[in-house]
Amino acid sequence: QVQLVESGGGLVQVGGSLRLSCAASGNIFSIDVMGWYRQAPGMQRDLVATVSRFGITNYADSVKGRFTISRDNTKHTVYLEMNSLKPEDTAVYYCTVTVVGGLASWGQGTQVTVSS
């Protein structure tokens, strides 16, 4: 099992920036893809960005050019740099890890609120 601990969420003004972090522990040697999803009130949980162990990235169209995902394999940590934040970015952000040959693990979620 992989455990995920998230940090960095909070309240920010429109146009501001936040950096989310997610540290993995447990069965870290089986980790393949790491990434972030988000869920706004009353909405489904949607992909934000993913990054493979070799640095290959994938982004939702709504965040391309504004968000950057990265990972530090020595620290077993994935990051999400969020810039030029908009009110529609307001959501609970969930860290996720895909384990080779198994199921995904999820963090507890961290609230990001963008206000004007």
Side-chain angles (χ1 to χ4, degrees):
Q1 199 75 22
V2 176
Q3 295 79 46
L4 303 173
V5 179
E6 300 161 318
S7 62
L11 177 64
V12 66
Q13 294 182 347
V14 171
S17 300
L18 284 174
R19 191 191 198 208
L20 306 183
S21 299
C22 175
S25 61
N27 190 21
I28 57 176
F29 300 107
S30 295
I31 295 175
D32 186 9
V33 175
M34 306 183 78
W36 296 90
Y37 281 64
R38 67 186 182 186
Q39 187 170 24
M43 306 296 288
Q44 67 180 23
R45 189 175 299 183
D46 292 326
L47 171 73
V48 176
T50 60
V51 57
S52 76
R53 65 176 66 188
F54 303 112
I56 300 172
T57 58
N58 181 49
Y59 295 93
D61 288 341
S62 59
V63 306
K64 286 181 179 177
R66 299 189 299 119
F67 291 10
T68 302
I69 190 170
S70 62
R71 66 192 285 176
D72 185 336
N73 290 331
T74 64
K75 297 180 179 179
H76 318 297
T77 300
V78 62
Y79 307 94
L80 185 68
E81 294 275 0
M82 303 185 293
N83 300 312
S84 301
L85 283 162
K86 306 174 181 179
E88 49 263 47
D89 295 318
T90 296
V92 177
Y93 284 70
Y94 296 91
C95 178
T96 187
V97 170
T98 299
V99 178
V100 175
L103 301 175
S105 295
W106 295 88
Q108 80 285 354
T110 184
Q111 178 70 48
V112 172
T113 302
V114 184
S115 66
S116 59

